[in-house]
Amino acid sequence: MVNTKTIDAKILSRMFLAGAKNLEAKKEWINELNVFPVPDGDTGTNMTLTIMSAASEVGSLHDPDMETLAKAISSGSLRGARGNSGVILSQLLRGFTRSVRKSSELTAEDIAAAMEKGVETAYKAVMKPKEGTILTVAREAAARAAEIAEDSEDLETFFNEVFAHAEATLEKTPEMLPVLKEAGVVDSGGQGLLEVYRGAIDGFLGKEIDYSSFSTSGGPAVTKISPQAEADIKFGYCTEFIILLNNPMPEEEEHSFKEFLTSIGDSIVLVADDEIVKVHVHTNHPGQAIERALTYGALSRMKIDNMREEHQEKLIKDAEKMAREQAEQEAAAKEAEPPKEYGFISVSVGKGLTEIFKELGVDYLIEGGQTMNPSTEDMLNAIDRVNAKTIYIFPNNKNIVLAANQARDLTEDKEIIVVPTKTIPQGITALISFVPEKSSQENADTMMDAVSKVKTGQITYAVRDTRIDDKEIHEGDIMGIGDSGMLAVGKERAEVAKETVAAMMDDEAEVISVYYGADISEEEAEELTAFLEEEYPECEVELNMGGQPIYYYVISVE
């Protein structure tokens, strides 16, 4: 039994890495806790990517003190933060590490104070904090820690009591958020935080955990080759050796050996004289070539290289070189040009939507959206690439707004304005509303006014059975999801799309915009728009190829 009243940087580092590892192991399960049964539940993924960014930095430290450990955790999680849950987790870690960085050892009281600082920092980052979420679990855990810290006899008891309270709080989240209760799940972000706590306690107790995946000092990670690139290499092993012949190889045996090598590979070179044979072959079965060769004599200078790995390594090196050269060229060009007055960064996914944003004058597009939320680091890189005094960012997803805000707060040399668009159509409308002659604040106000008039419906499919907004949903059903809830459920894409539009219509509607996804044909989309034109003759109906994955249609009414 561990019985200690303090922890040092070494133990805290072990606890943090163990918490990260446990979260990573549970990420898919946490993803499935999302209220909406859409095929892109990503809370677990976002939290894991966030903490792994910090874990990578912590894993590269050798014998850290509290200050260097705190800096690694804070900066790594801050820059790697993705999605609302990831940003909140990064803020909890940021506040915690700020509180402990000047200490050499931490008591229960120190840890409780740091947890409270983390909660305070996280609540400040969220404009409208909701109870029944990761914030509630973190706050209650910190409150319990503060309550028992002074009287705790040892840290094992302290940690277990705090965890038990956090777990009990998580179980109550469905009572705090009706949407959780209806879906029959606890808050996914809160569950993710609980798994970090659980892993951290395991680390404190010294349970055997493999930290190797976090270390950056053990050489390059193995990168899996893409199926297409692998297919391009028919035979994977470049095999070379010299046979020290027991007896001279007759010409007919040399011919037979060549035929055998041809049957298992290509790129064959076979040069024989009375004493040695030099062999080179590309094959998927180097062992077979070696076994046959051993029947002729002993082997020397054997060399087997995995060409798929070499090919992938070359691709990586070439890509890194191109990226460096491009970045250097762009940096040089940027330094040579004076900054323009304003620029735009937008998040987009899908070929058609990306083209629309380009046509509207967006300077830099970040690939992402509901299926993969960009990180704060992605935002900072985009900001660096846009040579403008004032930059407007359009997140186009409610789960990306916090990461954009975090990037704004970390930028000092440019004015960053985050226009908190929550859907692609809102981002498009905001851009159209921009007026160069207005001040940055006037434009921000104008854009938000225009965005407030946009209603968005997104058509996708359910990945599990659940119940939302009094609607029974079964795996495989088609769903129409609106700005604040479920608008339609059915079996046919077109019918659900029609019901979704009907639910969004009002007397002030003037324009219906339809963006069809990668899984919808142009003919199917045209049939839907023809129906909408006939059903709503007072509205202008626009059809665009969006090319977005997962969502069959994204439809706006304004």
Side-chain angles (χ1 to χ4, degrees):
M1 177 179 175
V2 176
N3 185 5
T4 179
K5 289 182 174 289
T6 64
I7 59 173
D8 58 14
K10 183 178 180 180
I11 296 173
L12 182 61
S13 174
R14 188 174 73 209
M15 291 175 68
F16 175 74
L17 291 175
K21 189 70 173 176
N22 191 51
L23 176 61
E24 182 190 36
K26 307 287 178 57
K27 69 179 179 182
E28 292 303 332
W29 172 58
I30 294 166
N31 282 341
E32 291 173 7
L33 291 174
N34 272 28
V35 170
F36 284 95
V38 294
D40 56 13
D42 50 9
T43 300
T45 300
N46 284 335
M47 293 183 75
T48 297
L49 289 170
T50 299
I51 205 166
M52 284 302 179
S53 176
S56 178
E57 292 199 23
V58 172
S60 67
L61 298 176
H62 299 285
D63 196 24
D65 58 22
M66 200 69 77
E67 186 153 8
T68 55
L69 175 63
K71 184 178 180 181
I73 293 173
S74 180
S75 65
S77 61
L78 204 64
R79 289 180 172 273
R82 295 175 188 266
N84 291 349
S85 54
V87 171
I88 291 170
L89 177 60
S90 75
Q91 293 294 327
L92 289 170
L93 293 170
R94 185 187 187 195
F96 184 97
T97 54
R98 275 186 170 177
S99 180
V100 304
R101 62 187 176 185
K102 298 298 182 185
S103 306
S104 57
E105 290 191 329
L106 305 178
T107 63
E109 289 97 324
D110 295 328
I111 294 166
M115 291 177 72
E116 289 188 310
K117 184 65 176 177
V119 169
E120 179 189 330
T121 305
Y123 267 86
K124 285 180 180 177
V126 182
M127 192 168 291
K128 295 178 181 177
K130 271 187 182 178
E131 294 308 323
T133 66
I134 181 176
L135 289 168
T136 308
V137 176
R139 190 194 67 232
E140 284 296 310
R144 182 61 176 162
E147 186 181 329
I148 65 172
E150 188 176 347
D151 298 326
S152 292
E153 293 185 8
D154 62 80
L155 286 177
E156 182 178 358
T157 304
F158 170 72
F159 288 142
N160 285 333
E161 287 193 33
V162 170
F163 179 84
H165 187 72
E167 191 171 36
T169 302
L170 179 66
E171 290 171 3
K172 294 175 185 174
T173 55
E175 302 301 323
M176 304 177 205
L177 272 180
V179 68
L180 294 176
K181 186 173 186 178
E182 190 176 22
V185 294
V186 295
D187 179 67
S188 54
Q191 185 72 62
L193 183 62
L194 199 71
E195 297 313 318
V196 175
Y197 290 161
R198 195 193 309 272
I201 294 172
D202 287 343
F204 172 74
L205 294 174
K207 292 187 179 180
E208 287 298 320
I209 298 161
D210 179 15
Y211 300 143
S212 60
S213 62
F214 303 133
S215 176
T216 59
S217 58
V222 175
T223 305
K224 191 165 177 61
I225 190 168
S226 70
Q228 181 56 48
E230 190 166 353
D232 292 341
I233 300 174
K234 187 176 180 181
F235 297 106
Y237 297 95
C238 176
T239 305
E240 293 180 280
F241 49 81
I242 291 174
I243 309 173
L244 305 176
L245 293 170
N246 296 328
N247 300 295
M249 182 179 285
E251 191 173 324
E252 61 272 17
E253 190 59 44
E254 183 180 332
H255 181 69
S256 173
F257 189 26
K258 270 188 180 178
E259 280 190 345
F260 171 75
L261 294 175
T262 302
S263 73
I264 64 168
D266 64 9
S267 300
I268 294 157
V269 177
L270 193 154
V271 181
D273 65 19
D274 291 344
E275 295 180 353
I276 67 169
V277 178
K278 169 76 173 176
V279 178
H280 172 280
V281 60
H282 290 175
T283 177
N284 288 327
H285 305 286
Q288 292 180 17
I290 289 168
E291 284 180 18
R292 177 68 176 261
L294 284 168
T295 65
Y296 303 121
L299 302 187
S300 174
R301 299 188 187 179
M302 297 172 61
K303 182 170 175 282
I304 301 173
D305 292 322
N306 185 328
M307 293 191 297
R308 293 187 176 99
E309 278 190 3
E310 288 184 350
H311 176 68
Q312 185 71 352
E313 195 172 314
K314 183 179 184 302
L315 290 178
I316 292 168
K317 286 180 178 177
D318 288 348
E320 288 175 346
K321 183 181 178 184
M322 285 177 63
R324 282 196 304 271
E325 289 173 352
Q326 184 179 351
E328 288 168 3
Q329 290 171 3
E330 289 178 357
K334 190 164 68 173
E335 287 178 12
E337 292 178 11
K340 56 183 182 177
E341 290 301 316
Y342 55 85
F344 305 108
I345 294 170
S346 179
V347 178
S348 177
V349 63
K351 183 179 178 182
L353 293 172
T354 294
E355 286 302 316
I356 291 170
F357 280 116
K358 285 181 180 177
E359 289 170 7
L360 291 173
V362 170
D363 297 278
Y364 192 92
L365 283 151
I366 301 174
E367 183 79 12
Q370 191 64 16
T371 50
M372 173 54 85
N373 298 150
S375 66
T376 300
E377 181 78 16
D378 293 332
M379 294 284 179
L380 290 169
N381 289 338
I383 290 168
D384 189 52
R385 299 283 284 276
V386 178
N387 187 24
K389 296 176 183 176
T390 299
I391 299 174
Y392 297 84
I393 300 179
F394 305 96
N396 300 334
N397 186 296
K398 65 181 181 181
N399 213 27
I400 301 175
V401 174
L402 286 182
N405 288 342
Q406 199 152 267
R408 175 199 61 203
D409 296 341
L410 291 169
T411 303
E412 297 178 354
D413 58 339
K414 299 172 183 177
E415 181 187 20
I416 307 299
I417 296 175
V418 177
V419 183
T421 50
K422 296 177 180 177
T423 64
I424 289 285
Q426 286 186 357
I428 291 171
T429 296
L431 272 161
I432 293 171
S433 306
F434 178 78
V435 179
E437 291 74 26
K438 290 184 177 181
S439 70
S440 56
Q441 190 55 54
E442 286 173 334
N443 264 310
D445 293 341
T446 301
M447 288 176 180
M448 286 312 300
D449 182 58
V451 163
S452 69
K453 297 179 174 65
V454 180
K455 297 177 184 177
T456 306
Q458 304 185 81
I459 315 302
T460 188
Y461 59 94
V463 294
R464 58 178 165 81
D465 296 352
T466 189
R467 182 179 178 84
I468 299 174
D469 297 335
D470 291 327
K471 291 181 171 63
E472 286 287 343
I473 300 168
H474 300 285
E475 182 179 344
D477 282 354
I478 307 299
M479 305 177 295
I481 304 171
D483 294 319
S484 56
M486 195 68 65
L487 300 180
V489 178
K491 300 296 183 184
E492 300 293 332
R493 296 186 297 222
E495 291 308 310
V496 171
K498 292 170 186 177
E499 287 182 38
T500 300
V501 173
M504 293 191 291
M505 292 299 292
D506 57 36
D507 294 337
E508 296 178 0
E510 297 177 350
V511 181
I512 301 172
S513 299
V514 179
Y515 305 89
Y516 64 94
D519 297 322
I520 297 292
S521 67
E522 186 176 359
E523 292 73 23
E524 186 177 341
E526 286 174 346
E527 286 180 17
L528 174 62
T529 52
F531 169 85
L532 296 175
E533 285 171 341
E534 187 175 338
E535 188 75 6
Y536 307 105
E538 71 282 4
C539 287
E540 179 184 348
V541 180
E542 299 176 347
L543 177 63
N544 298 278
M545 190 280 285
Q548 69 274 5
I550 294 183
Y551 290 87
Y552 300 122
Y553 293 104
V554 175
I555 305 172
S556 66
V557 173
E558 53 187 303

